[in-house]
Amino acid sequence: MEIDSVAFQPHVGEDNRATILCATCGAPIVGNQGVAMCENCIRLNVDISEGIQRESSIHFCKGCERYLQPPQHWVSASLESKELLALCLKKLRGLTKVRLVDASFIWTEPHSKRIKLKIKIQDAFQSTYLLQTFEVEFVVVWTQCPDCAKTYTPNTWRACVQVRQKVSHKRTFLYLEQLILKHNAHKDCINIREVKDGLDFFYAQRNHAVKLCDFLAAVAPVKSQKSSELISQDIHTSTKSYKFTYSVELVPLCKDDLVCLPSKLAKSLGNIPQLLICTRVGSSVHLMDPNTLQVTEISNQVYWRDPFSTLADVTELKEYFILDIEPLGPTHGKFVLADVEVMRTSDNQQFTIRTHLGSILHAGDDALGFHLLDSNFNDPNFDALDNNKVPPVILVKKHYPRRKKKSRNWKLKRMGRDESDMLPRKQDQEKAERDYELFLQSLEEDTELRGTVALYKNPEAKEFKPANPDDMDMDDNQTEYGDDGPKIDVDELLDEFEEKMRMEDNMPTEDDAPPA
């Protein structure tokens, strides 16, 4: 049975619905809509924004540049940002009764204390959807937040972190300052004060101080203690106000220090020799025997259970000249065991010793090391050693002959801090400048250390002009060292505008630990 395919043609009849004339413009409209105006007249005569504020105020703190989010929360927001737009829309009464379609800023002078918004809303009126655009003006009222108000009272801080290290230099804190700046760990700090043996960090909230303590524990072996002081007490409501102080002590060990372990501790660490060199201080202390390349690692708990101090630091290094060197074969990482013949530059006294710098030193180089022959250390562990097992010299690192130059092509960021009540003496200022210069030199020499800090281009660096015309062929990185000296490439330096992209609060790893 076949069926013919016939196209369906719907019947289009006349609209028999009754029509009336619009009461405003006279246009014919359907009369069963319940309204006597056409859609165009409804859009012109009905105001769907009725009941929404057209003027309002917003409170702004000039001290910390934050806006008040009622009832008591203060938020940071830049001009014409999404955060400020959301804050302004929340303050408008009646905006929840309609549907918000779009909102944007209208440009105003930054000093006019006015913020204008262009808002587009939608609402249903009878059988018609209406769209309307209108402007809202906010008056910026300058006020003072409670945190800024506390700065004018004695109770300016609620928690304090006292970081201390009992050493004779500031290299550890110089490196710690760069780590704090890199990871933005000081963003909640209201003040930083420099004291004799360390730094004091002041916070308005206790949890911010705890975060700094956790940061320090992640980058160095530390020992912390907590104390609290009662400030005020309300006997009627049993509410109390405390001040909290956290004492954080760093291990008094730094990179390139000479240590002598207690006999019991050395036996528990695989029977390692007692006389060692500190190669790195991370979340644990890394030590090496320069005569055998044997290494060990001392954790935070093990050190504070049986603490020990250094025999000598980098300020006691002597300069030696390498006469001859012969690698022996054993290696550990970048270190190679070798026999070396050295001569002390001060009196031309020669020694034949064993060193771990076989891959770094060559005949004719200069090196820095500790002179142990006929040395007197006030340490019971060193006095108990057999004199036949103590080498006359222990080399620590290669020494680069330096030349005077005006400025470096890179620089470091520094934190703003307050000095103690007593002004530093002239010799203390000279010592601080010397420690800072040693820290800069260690950054130039150690690539691993340089990778954990942020170096910036120095636009104020002046071109080096040597007095000897034969040195004119040296580039900028060779102005202070020889041709084989350490160099900092321009690719390792950051521009000033790249700093904001790096201000993320990431917890550091063991690779970011202070070596100094």
Side-chain angles (χ1 to χ4, degrees):
M1 182 178 178
E2 297 181 357
I3 299 177
D4 296 334
S5 60
V6 179
F8 175 74
Q9 297 179 356
H11 175 71
V12 179
E14 297 180 358
D15 191 0
N16 296 325
R17 292 180 297 177
T19 60
I20 61 174
L21 299 179
C22 175
T24 303
C25 64
I29 59 175
V30 180
N32 60 356
Q33 300 295 330
V35 63
M37 289 189 296
C38 63
E39 294 182 2
N40 294 331
C41 294
I42 291 176
R43 292 188 179 96
L44 294 175
N45 293 280
V46 177
D47 184 12
I48 61 175
S49 65
E50 186 178 0
I52 301 178
Q53 287 181 283
R54 300 299 180 95
E55 294 183 356
S56 183
S57 61
I58 185 170
H59 295 271
F60 176 72
C61 178
K62 293 181 61 179
C64 57
E65 297 183 353
R66 295 186 298 175
Y67 292 90
L68 174 63
Q69 182 177 350
Q72 296 179 351
H73 188 56
W74 292 82
V75 295
S76 298
S78 58
L79 290 176
E80 299 189 4
S81 62
K82 295 186 296 183
E83 293 80 7
L84 182 58
L85 180 61
L87 182 61
C88 294
L89 293 177
K90 290 180 181 179
K91 291 183 66 65
L92 292 180
R93 293 194 302 267
L95 192 61
T96 56
K97 299 179 181 179
V98 295
R99 180 172 177 267
L100 179 63
V101 178
D102 189 20
S104 59
F105 285 97
I106 300 177
W107 186 86
T108 56
E109 292 286 347
H111 60 273
S112 63
K113 300 174 63 175
R114 296 293 187 272
I115 298 177
K116 291 186 178 181
L117 300 182
K118 183 180 180 181
I119 301 177
K120 187 177 183 180
I121 60 175
Q122 183 186 40
D123 196 12
F125 182 79
Q126 298 296 333
S127 61
T128 305
Y129 285 96
L130 303 179
L131 290 173
Q132 185 174 348
T133 303
F134 61 98
E135 296 181 2
V136 179
E137 181 177 343
F138 291 87
V139 179
V140 180
V141 180
W142 287 350
T143 183
Q144 194 176 50
C145 65
D147 294 337
C148 294
K150 287 182 180 180
T151 59
Y152 298 96
T153 63
N155 300 324
T156 56
W157 55 274
R158 184 56 58 90
C160 175
V161 180
Q162 299 176 349
V163 185
R164 300 290 186 269
Q165 187 186 34
K166 299 178 181 179
V167 291
S168 59
H169 56 80
K170 295 289 185 181
R171 290 187 298 120
T172 300
F173 288 98
L174 290 174
Y175 183 75
L176 193 63
E177 176 186 15
Q178 298 304 316
L179 283 182
I180 292 175
L181 288 172
K182 180 179 179 180
H183 297 280
N184 199 21
H186 67 301
K187 64 177 182 178
D188 298 320
C189 186
I190 61 176
N191 190 20
I192 302 175
R193 180 177 299 172
E194 185 175 4
V195 293
K196 179 182 178 182
D197 294 329
L199 297 172
D200 290 344
F201 297 85
F202 298 93
Y203 293 90
Q205 298 181 18
R206 178 186 177 185
N207 58 341
H208 295 161
V210 175
K211 288 173 61 178
L212 180 64
C213 294
D214 295 339
F215 176 85
L216 296 175
V219 299
V222 297
K223 179 177 65 175
S224 61
Q225 295 179 350
K226 185 188 75 171
S227 63
S228 59
E229 177 186 0
L230 180 63
I231 301 176
S232 61
Q233 178 181 4
D234 190 349
I235 60 176
H236 301 287
T237 59
S238 298
T239 57
K240 301 178 182 179
S241 179
Y242 288 93
K243 276 187 175 181
F244 300 93
T245 302
Y246 295 86
S247 176
V248 180
E249 182 180 355
L250 302 175
V251 292
L253 301 178
C254 305
K255 184 183 177 183
D256 298 334
D257 283 355
L258 181 65
V259 299
C260 186
L261 299 181
S263 177
K264 183 179 179 181
L265 179 60
K267 292 179 181 179
S268 64
L269 296 175
N271 201 20
I272 193 172
Q274 295 180 245
L275 201 60
L276 304 173
I277 293 178
C278 181
T279 58
R280 181 185 175 196
V281 179
S283 57
S284 58
V285 181
H286 298 255
L287 302 175
M288 173 182 284
D289 179 20
N291 295 318
T292 61
L293 295 185
Q294 187 177 356
V295 296
T296 186
E297 182 177 345
I298 301 178
S299 62
N300 188 16
Q301 295 79 8
V302 172
Y303 176 82
W304 292 112
R305 191 185 308 127
D306 191 7
F308 55 90
S309 58
T310 61
L311 284 180
D313 54 16
V314 293
T315 59
E316 303 177 31
L317 292 174
K318 306 297 181 181
E319 186 176 351
Y320 294 87
F321 183 77
I322 307 300
L323 298 176
D324 189 17
I325 186 169
E326 181 181 357
L328 299 179
T331 61
H332 181 79
K334 65 178 182 179
F335 300 111
V336 176
L337 194 65
D339 287 336
V340 59
E341 185 178 355
V342 299
M343 179 182 65
R344 190 163 62 175
T345 57
S346 59
D347 54 3
N348 297 335
Q349 189 176 2
Q350 298 183 10
F351 304 94
T352 301
I353 58 174
R354 185 161 291 181
T355 182
H356 62 292
L357 304 176
S359 61
I360 302 175
L361 298 177
H362 303 85
D365 292 341
D366 292 331
L368 295 177
F370 296 106
H371 189 77
L372 304 183
L373 185 63
D374 300 332
S375 297
N376 184 16
F377 297 104
N378 188 16
D379 188 275
N381 298 324
F382 182 79
D383 296 338
L385 292 178
D386 186 4
N387 294 331
N388 297 326
K389 297 182 180 180
V390 178
V393 176
I394 294 181
L395 298 182
V396 175
K397 60 181 179 179
K398 183 178 180 180
H399 177 60
Y400 299 94
R402 302 177 181 272
R403 303 171 182 154
K404 283 288 186 178
K405 73 172 187 177
K406 294 184 178 179
S407 60
R408 293 178 169 90
N409 63 340
W410 56 275
K411 64 178 181 178
L412 297 174
K413 293 289 185 180
R414 301 299 302 272
M415 287 190 306
R417 66 187 72 178
D418 294 338
E419 296 181 352
S420 57
D421 297 336
M422 297 187 63
L423 295 176
R425 298 177 298 176
K426 182 178 180 180
Q427 52 267 35
D428 294 337
Q429 294 179 352
E430 295 176 354
K431 184 177 179 299
E433 294 177 358
R434 186 166 56 253
D435 291 340
Y436 187 67
E437 180 63 27
L438 289 175
F439 174 65
L440 296 181
Q441 293 175 7
S442 62
L443 287 178
E444 294 172 331
E445 298 172 3
D446 194 341
T447 56
E448 296 180 1
L449 175 63
R450 194 164 62 240
T452 59
V453 301
L455 304 179
Y456 297 90
K457 296 179 181 178
N458 186 12
E460 300 179 357
K462 298 180 180 179
E463 184 179 359
F464 175 70
K465 297 180 180 180
N468 188 2
D470 297 336
D471 297 335
M472 292 297 293
D473 57 343
M474 294 191 304
D475 55 17
D476 292 340
N477 292 325
Q478 295 173 341
T479 55
E480 188 174 355
Y481 304 99
D483 294 339
D484 58 344
K487 304 175 180 63
I488 298 182
D489 297 333
V490 181
D491 298 337
E492 301 180 38
L493 305 180
L494 299 174
D495 292 326
E496 294 290 340
F497 66 89
E498 296 181 11
E499 181 183 5
K500 294 183 179 180
M501 301 179 62
R502 300 183 56 262
M503 302 298 285
E504 296 179 358
D505 192 14
N506 298 328
M507 289 301 296
T509 61
E510 185 180 350
D511 296 335
D512 294 331

